[in-house]
Amino acid sequence: MSFELIIAETRGRVGLITLNRPKALNALNDQVMDEIGAALDGFEADDNIGAIVITGSEKAFAAGADIGAMASFSYMDAYKGDYISRNWERVKTCRKPIIAAVAGFALGGGCELAMMCDIIIAADSAKFGQPEVKLGILPGAGGTQRLPRAVGKAKAMDLCLTARFMDATEAEKAGLVSRVVPADTLLDEALAAAETIAGFSLPVVMMIKESVNRAFESSLNEGLLFERRVFHSAFALNDQKEGMAAFVEKRKANFRHD
Ligand code: CAA
């Protein structure tokens, strides 16, 4: 897959998307989001891909939505043009797991893009923030909703209202990121985690993603019921037979992803 503002490639069973707009610190304009969406379409359709990594540069994962592109928007441009929903939601609807590998700035829409992913692995250089308030707007790609779910109300309010940045250590302590690693090992760590995930049964991995996400959409009892039904359905998979046989026979499972 060939694009202008991102690089999409495969590494084993992992699809890797690298944001590649260095002069604008990977600011997210329509073209970038369209290209991410098209790359995700390709990876979702490819049976040989089991997990996806989205990363940026050493300096910036992404410094936000493109301010230049938004500056002259009227209300109707934003509303009728369905700004954000029109092409950012594709990340949310991806059924394969996505890891955000974040170094440098992840601000505004950049932080929101990372939060749309399933796991955030941060370099020790990462800085997270929702500084939209300084621009006379508010977060518009999920910041006011996903950040409090990740870090709680107090810290989410603090970040959204003061526009201050949170470093990687604080982000890990707050629960936004799952691991912090040295900047020079970020991509290797993220690819290794993605390769581990991609080695497991793809339908099971998709069921786990769907079930964990259900925890944020439903009551505990509804979520538990959903999990139980999906758990029961896993027994219809060849991969369940293989996974359990491999355990009993003390060998590595060879999943066929069905
Ligand atoms: N949009 C467009 N261009 C951006 C950008 C953005 N979000 N962030 C940085 N850039 C551009 C700069 O304009 C600059 O371009 P030029 O060289 O052509 O002037 C280039 O990237 C480098 O940026 P700086 O010179 O500012 O670099 P710095 O190291 O001094 O500062 C920074 C880095 C602190 C990240 C600073 O660039 C910054 O504050 N960026 C804006 C962050 C922001 O407000 N993000 C939220 C955007 S709104 C949003 O995302 C809405 C939403 O919820 C969807």
Side-chain angles (χ1 to χ4, degrees):
M1 286 182 277
S2 153
F3 297 104
E4 205 180 333
L5 299 180
I6 67 167
I7 299 163
E9 56 197 311
T10 55
R11 303 277 181 93
R13 282 184 51 80
V14 177
L16 172 62
I17 296 175
T18 306
L19 306 181
N20 188 28
R21 216 191 154 199
K23 285 191 185 134
L25 300 183
N26 292 329
L28 303 164
N29 62 11
D30 269 341
Q31 187 181 341
V32 175
M33 295 316 299
D34 286 342
E35 291 186 3
I36 291 174
L40 291 177
D41 286 344
F43 291 146
E44 287 257 66
D46 185 345
D47 287 341
N48 295 314
I49 295 295
I52 296 157
V53 172
I54 300 182
T55 195
S57 69
E58 244 174 69
K59 183 157 186 205
F61 176 71
D66 190 316
I67 298 168
M70 280 183 293
S72 62
F73 268 15
S74 67
Y75 168 74
M76 284 304 276
D77 291 331
Y79 178 71
K80 192 155 167 287
D82 204 16
Y83 183 51
I84 300 297
S85 304
R86 69 178 170 231
N87 48 15
W88 290 59
E89 300 272 303
R90 181 65 187 91
V91 182
K92 185 186 84 173
T93 61
C94 184
R95 298 178 72 205
K96 293 180 181 176
I98 308 179
I99 296 177
V102 176
F105 297 111
L107 304 177
C111 186
E112 292 167 306
L113 173 62
M115 289 191 291
M116 284 177 196
C117 300
D118 304 300
I119 298 173
I120 302 177
I121 298 181
D124 47 16
S125 63
K127 287 186 176 57
F128 298 88
Q130 297 290 163
E132 287 90 342
V133 68
K134 281 166 73 177
L135 299 168
I137 56 168
L138 58 148
T144 66
Q145 302 304 302
R146 290 197 177 93
L147 193 59
R149 282 168 169 79
V151 304
K153 175 179 166 180
K155 210 171 268 291
M157 284 287 190
D158 181 358
L159 292 170
C160 292
L161 291 175
T162 70
R164 80 172 175 88
F165 300 163
M166 175 163 76
D167 67 19
T169 308
E170 184 182 357
E172 186 187 28
K173 228 169 125 191
L176 179 66
V177 314
S178 68
R179 334 177 181 174
V180 179
V181 299
D184 57 357
T185 67
L186 174 68
L187 190 56
D188 287 345
E189 295 266 359
L191 287 171
E195 196 60 53
T196 298
I197 294 167
F200 296 128
S201 165
L202 178 60
V204 171
V205 162
M206 290 166 68
M207 287 173 185
I208 292 171
K209 171 167 173 162
E210 205 178 356
S211 299
V212 173
N213 280 333
R214 202 36 95 97
F216 298 97
E217 306 287 350
S218 62
S219 68
L220 178 59
N221 273 330
E222 286 296 319
L224 289 171
L225 183 61
F226 181 85
E227 180 198 73
R228 205 59 36 86
R229 291 287 172 265
V230 178
F231 174 70
H232 291 161
S233 73
F235 289 89
L237 294 170
N238 289 318
D239 285 341
Q240 174 269 326
K241 301 290 173 287
E242 166 61 10
M244 294 195 178
F247 179 83
V248 171
E249 292 160 19
K250 299 192 186 305
R251 61 173 174 82
K252 192 173 181 298
N254 182 19
F255 292 119
R256 286 179 7 200
H257 312 291
D258 63 5

